[in-house]
Amino acid sequence: MNISIDREILLENLNTIARGLPVRSPMPILTGIKMYATDTDLYMTSSNSDISVEVVINDQSLVIQQPGQTVVPGKVFIDIIRKINSKKINLYLSDDKVLVIKADRGEYKLQIMDPVDYPKIDFVLHENPLVIDADVLKGVIRETVFATATSEKKPILTGVNLKNVGGKLIATATDSFRLSQKVVAIDPEYKDFNITVPNKSFDELLKAIDQYGERVTLYFGTNKLLVSFKNISFQTRLLDGNYPDTSRLIPAEFPIVLKFNKDELVEAVERVSLLSPRDKATDREITYSIIKLSIKKDRIIEISTTNAAVGDAKEELIPTSIDSANPITIGFSSRYLIEALRSFISTEVSLNLSGAIRPFIIRGDRDANLTQLILPVNME
Amino acid sequence: MNISIDREILLENLNTIARGLPVRSPMPILTGIKMYATDTDLYMTSSNSDISVEVVINDQSLVIQQPGQTVVPGKVFIDIIRKINSKKINLYLSDDKVLVIKADRGEYKLQIMDPVDYPKIDFVLHENPLVIDADVLKGVIRETVFATATSEKKPILTGVNLKNVGGKLIATATDSFRLSQKVVAIDPEYKDFNITVPNKSFDELLKAIDQYGERVTLYFGTNKLLVSFKNISFQTRLLDGNYPDTSRLIPAEFPIVLKFNKDELVEAVERVSLLSPRDKATDREITYSIIKLSIKKDRIIEISTTNAAVGDAKEELIPTSIDSANPITIGFSSRYLIEALRSFISTEVSLNLSGAIRPFIIRGDRDANLTQLILPVNME
């Protein structure tokens, strides 16, 4: 193998490849990047227990003097290409089993691994993929993935569920104490699917898609999802098991509707939560940073907390609109509310309540088909 | 106590007070900030085992309705003032032993501590202080403090030594493997001093002085140094013991002088050091990240490293000038060289060598009276 290429192109592709590179692995060869130069193209592959990534480079700066393949130590190779500031980079295998990196007056020799030891990665290409806008997919992920469970107690809840219901893609995430749901229209003829994607895979996919705004192609395999865009194939394993039915969690009626300027609400909640009791040792995540929201007289909303160890905090807010039959006090995790509010692009959001211990939901006037639900804690 | 003040003024002063606040303390009251409002001024004090800080505020926005004193929990108080975005803040003690913070529609009640339990801090004011430019003091600290020891094996080496030698302030830091020395002119009549300031105190002093560019006043006490500027008194304890005589460490003659563009040298060393062997477990800090520098034929300088586990790296550099009798290869810590080079503002720096296992020094054409010395390792 002997190739030369613009550093900028190589680095951009390596930053994508980094998404699939494990920090360590029971299979040491997976800490390497597989490089395979044909007569015309350069393939690079990385893989860990969740994700496999492949890029195909045929940039016009790429010159392949000699095809070939190798596996290079991933982290140090990427570090070197990042630090180099020459325009061109020359990579070749030398007799003594090293990859030589030449750039201006610098020369780096990396000990390589045998490409025959690199496992074969099957990418689940097939004839009937689903094509959607990259921005739609990015939105779906950003608006739901934060609500997945971090604990492995119910592994299925560490993923985002994607389901096709008659031409609507329903994305759902829940950790049992809150729920995020986004619905987007897709090709009404597309076949049924019901898959759950690990949250970490979606985090890495977001970084890989980055600024790209054109279309992406999704291939649904039996236990894999392949997302294809630009010159990139990004494949993730799926979580085993049936995703719980969450449709009955969302109340049908909301007698109390409060509308707020979103930024004002976020800032007030953030300040009050500085004093909310921290209880990280607890098993129930929801008891973390509990605050209270009350409807007071004169249509003022009070956000407050009491902390026996440090002190009390309260903020008064004037909602932009209020539709309420009765006064109510509701307690919940401030972190859940802040994370939910941050998922909206709307300037104005509504809190829709149906009772002090019934789930409440948040919607935004400019965020169609996005529902954030939070389960209150009993303040009695 | 009942005062009101512009949030911005209070926060700016709290950011200074934060420099002396311990994260935790065997004396819980020291995790608090002492506040003392006279008829006209607000004093705030923080103190930990190394540093005590006092600010006196008499800003025109300060209105003292009622003098008084208290000790407020430091971290949470600063966090709240940071998060508030109102212009004015009102602070008052209420009957039930809490400090009330009022800002717009927010109200925070913090449990306070008894100010009589707060230790009395003696600031070593006296009639004969030394006045110097803040920028000079900042330069002295920045150019030396990084070379202090991090290990507590020889505690005196964890500080920067400041000595008056006939109207010259000599600042010296060494961890036994490298040495930084800066000399600046002071009042030739000023009394002798020879003190060693803990590196952490100087780190915090740099943050406290920040952008301030006027004059600072130094008061030398027997075991304390007080630095006074703006409305701030910053006092640090001094390290016990005699600082070692380092004057004989610096060679008198340098038969080899290599001049480089500083940025080119830093970048080449950073790249090569990506492959230099890491040996963090070792006792001798200097074995960390060892690289070699060699004078090759055609006046080319080669920076290189060999790493049995990963591979080799080399970079060729063309010095801006070279004055050398013989070829030489010298090995040293790349981290030490990079940290030393970063202390210079000069575009061009000179490496002055006197032998493969003799200390070499670095100077910069625009950095008068700054000497960085590095002890090589034996590469045989």
Side-chain angles (χ1 to χ4, degrees), chain A residues 73 76 79-80 83-85 103 105-111 267-268 270-272 274-275 300 307-318, chain B residues 73 76 79-80 83-85 103 105-111 267-268 270-272 274-275 300 307-318:
Chain A
V76 68
D79 284 347
I80 291 169
K83 279 277 186 190
I84 283 173
N85 55 15
R105 288 182 158 271
E107 185 181 282
Y108 298 80
K109 293 181 179 171
L110 294 184
Q111 288 171 22
E267 286 172 18
E270 279 182 341
R271 281 198 293 273
V272 167
L274 289 174
L275 287 192
I300 286 172
N307 184 334
V310 187
D312 306 336
K314 72 172 188 225
E315 290 271 352
E316 289 180 351
L317 274 174
I318 301 177
Chain B
V76 69
D79 284 348
I80 291 169
K83 278 278 185 193
I84 283 173
N85 55 14
R105 287 180 160 273
E107 184 181 282
Y108 298 80
K109 293 181 181 171
L110 294 185
Q111 287 170 25
E267 286 173 16
E270 280 182 341
R271 283 197 293 273
V272 167
L274 288 174
L275 287 191
I300 285 171
N307 184 335
V310 188
D312 307 334
K314 72 174 188 223
E315 289 272 352
E316 289 179 350
L317 274 175
I318 301 178

Side-chain angles (χ1 to χ4, degrees), chain B residues 349-363:
Chain B
V349 293
S350 65
L351 269 55
N352 304 271
L353 290 74
S354 69
I357 53 166
R358 300 260 297 146
F360 66 96
I361 69 166
I362 309 158
R363 293 222 162 100

Side-chain angles (χ1 to χ4, degrees), chain B residues 18 78 89 91 133 332:
Chain B
I78 294 174
I89 286 180
L91 305 171
D133 280 350
F332 51 86

Side-chain angles (χ1 to χ4, degrees), chain B residues 57-78:
Chain B
I57 307 176
N58 57 5
D59 184 72
Q60 60 180 15
S61 79
L62 175 66
V63 176
I64 296 173
Q65 278 117 6
Q66 196 186 328
Q69 60 178 340
T70 186
V71 177
V72 298
K75 185 180 177 309
V76 69
F77 181 58
I78 294 174

Side-chain angles (χ1 to χ4, degrees), chain A residues 274-287:
Chain A
L274 289 174
L275 287 192
S276 58
R278 300 291 187 273
D279 194 358
K280 292 184 188 173
T282 179
D283 199 43
R284 291 194 70 202
E285 286 180 52
I286 199 169
T287 62

